[in-house]
Amino acid sequence: MAQASQAGRGPLSGLRVLDLSGLGPAPFATMMLADFGASVLSVRRPDPMPFDPAVAMSRGKDAIGLDLRSPGGQETARRLARSVDILVEGFRPGVMERLGLGPDALIAANPGLIYARLTGWGQSGPYATRAGHDINYLAISGALNVTGEDKPTAPPGLLGDLANGSYTLMIGVLMALVERQRTGQGQVVDAAIVDGASYMLGAMFGELELGLWDGDPAHSMLIGKAPFYGVYRCADDKWFSVGAIEQKFYAAMLAILGLTDVDATAQAQMDRSSWPALRERVAAAFRTKSQAEWTPLFAAIDSCGAPVLTVDELAHDPHNAARATVTVDDGGVLTAAPAPRLSGHPDLVTAINPRTARPATEILAEAGFEAAEIDGLIADKVVWSL
């Protein structure tokens, strides 16, 4: 198995990952594994989409082309899977089994294998084999119904695909690795976006149980109806966010906006009947100054306010710059640092692993393939360099 350039750096150093995921959020999950030190080999298909997520999320990974539709490609994948710790795939349920690459076969040959599966619906249930995208998974999970002010609004893919898909898979893989330390046995991780999104609604279910919310999105304080929690347009048409939930922050917000005649007590703040009119007044106040003027005013008084940054502003924000959260290189390429931060590995943030571009011959040779075998696979167009 090839060793990517991140080997030796990070808590996952020494772990080997075979990434057969191709499309969807799974390439982001394997990029996370690579960011934290795992050696990842990404397998690309012969017919990639015009936008291939696997390419956009390829930092720190080795990559080869492999035709999994051919018997030779399937056998190559089986051999690669024998020497890895983790396999990640993102096909619809049943596809890997039809290719002879299902978990039963591969774990039988490699008992310690963590076989991680990432889909929208999960591996079971009546929707499991349906087509779908993150908007559909969020719809079924309940998360879409509480996203948006006046109607369900599709959020960026990061909420469904990444937050509830990639991170769910990552957590499952890490837990399976911990258990393998005790048992020596691998297992299957079934990560589904709909499961992850529903799981994250647990806090709102708690509000229901406590009588703090009636289930109507229009009555939720955190969906944008409350005048003290939302975004407002400034005089320069840029946006500013406020989240002054606690009474002391609410009072500070009113003072900054010059709304000194508004009752700032906690009881008055939570009077929902007053929210529509007050929201209009808050909006009018924000329109009197630019985003650049509001930013230092809110920074000077602890009142839970921050400018809404555009993509081209991220790397120049003083907080992002100080933490190297988002950086931009000389070519204008934006890079987000791995998260979370680990005190034992501070260099993972400051020296982010670059993309690798090694030939397939070198990668397969390190995985134990003989030179004649490699030549044959390349001649038959089963394997190719990327």
Side-chain angles (χ1 to χ4, degrees):
M1 175 72 183
Q3 296 294 313
S5 60
Q6 187 80 333
R9 292 182 58 237
L12 303 184
S13 175
L15 290 175
R16 295 160 298 176
V17 181
L18 180 60
D19 179 3
L20 300 178
S21 59
L23 303 177
F28 185 82
T30 55
M31 186 185 77
M32 293 172 67
L33 292 169
D35 280 341
F36 288 96
S39 173
V40 179
L41 175 59
S42 175
V43 168
R44 309 282 173 77
R45 58 188 62 183
D47 51 351
M49 296 176 61
F51 165 66
D52 186 352
V55 175
M57 303 172 190
S58 62
R59 75 185 188 196
K61 305 177 188 178
D62 279 323
I64 60 170
L66 182 61
D67 186 1
L68 291 178
R69 297 171 298 188
S70 70
Q74 294 160 14
E75 177 57 27
T76 299
R78 280 191 285 272
R79 287 184 60 181
L80 290 170
R82 290 176 198 155
S83 60
V84 301
D85 300 282
I86 304 158
L87 181 145
V88 177
E89 65 96 358
F91 294 98
R92 291 197 206 187
V95 171
M96 290 290 281
E97 283 80 358
R98 290 194 294 273
L99 296 174
L101 298 169
D104 290 345
L106 297 191
I107 293 177
N110 181 1
L113 179 65
I114 308 301
Y115 194 108
R117 321 189 81 165
L118 178 50
T119 60
W121 305 112
Q123 296 298 313
S124 61
Y127 301 164
T129 59
R130 286 187 185 179
H133 282 297
D134 63 324
I135 187 173
N136 311 121
Y137 314 137
L138 293 177
I140 293 299
S141 74
L144 188 62
N145 190 52
V146 294
T147 305
E149 292 190 26
D150 300 315
K151 65 177 182 179
T153 302
L158 57 90
L159 177 59
D161 281 353
L162 305 188
N164 295 299
S166 305
Y167 271 87
T168 298
L169 183 88
M170 184 76 165
I171 293 168
V173 165
L174 296 179
M175 288 192 292
L177 286 169
V178 169
E179 188 166 38
R180 192 180 72 172
Q181 290 180 331
R182 298 197 303 267
T183 67
Q185 297 297 308
Q187 61 184 292
V188 178
V189 176
D190 176 5
I193 295 171
V194 67
D195 293 349
S198 294
Y199 195 21
M200 285 192 173
L201 288 179
M204 300 190 79
F205 295 161
E207 292 180 19
L208 284 170
E209 183 179 357
L210 296 173
L212 302 176
W213 182 46
D214 62 4
D216 185 341
H219 298 158
S220 174
M221 180 173 63
L222 304 183
I223 297 179
K225 296 298 182 181
F228 48 85
Y229 197 94
V231 295
Y232 292 95
R233 191 185 295 272
C234 303
D236 55 357
D237 285 333
K238 294 186 176 183
W239 296 88
F240 200 88
S241 71
V242 291
I245 299 174
E246 293 83 356
Q247 187 274 330
K248 63 178 180 179
F249 299 143
Y250 176 63
M253 181 197 78
L254 294 176
I256 293 171
L257 296 175
L259 302 178
T260 55
D261 61 318
V262 176
D263 187 345
T265 63
Q267 182 176 1
Q269 178 187 359
M270 294 302 170
D271 178 7
R272 283 176 165 78
S273 66
S274 68
W275 284 3
L278 182 54
R279 189 171 178 82
E280 289 185 7
R281 291 192 63 189
V282 172
F286 268 104
R287 292 288 281 175
T288 64
K289 289 182 175 64
S290 68
Q291 184 194 78
E293 292 173 304
W294 286 119
T295 298
L297 291 175
F298 273 84
I301 300 177
D302 216 11
S303 187
C304 302
V308 178
L309 301 180
T310 60
V311 170
D312 60 331
E313 294 171 329
L314 297 178
H316 306 292
D317 175 79
H319 185 79
N320 289 341
R323 288 178 60 83
T325 298
V326 178
T327 56
V328 58
D329 65 18
D330 294 338
V333 176
L334 287 168
T335 300
R341 311 294 174 94
L342 300 174
S343 63
H345 303 277
D347 60 321
L348 296 183
V349 173
T350 57
I352 295 174
N353 208 28
R355 296 180 181 181
T356 57
R358 298 199 297 157
T361 52
E362 182 180 335
I363 293 171
L364 291 180
E366 288 186 1
F369 286 74
E370 299 293 336
E373 292 179 295
I374 297 171
D375 291 341
L377 291 169
I378 292 175
D380 293 337
K381 299 182 178 180
V382 172
V383 173
W384 58 94
S385 298
L386 294 171

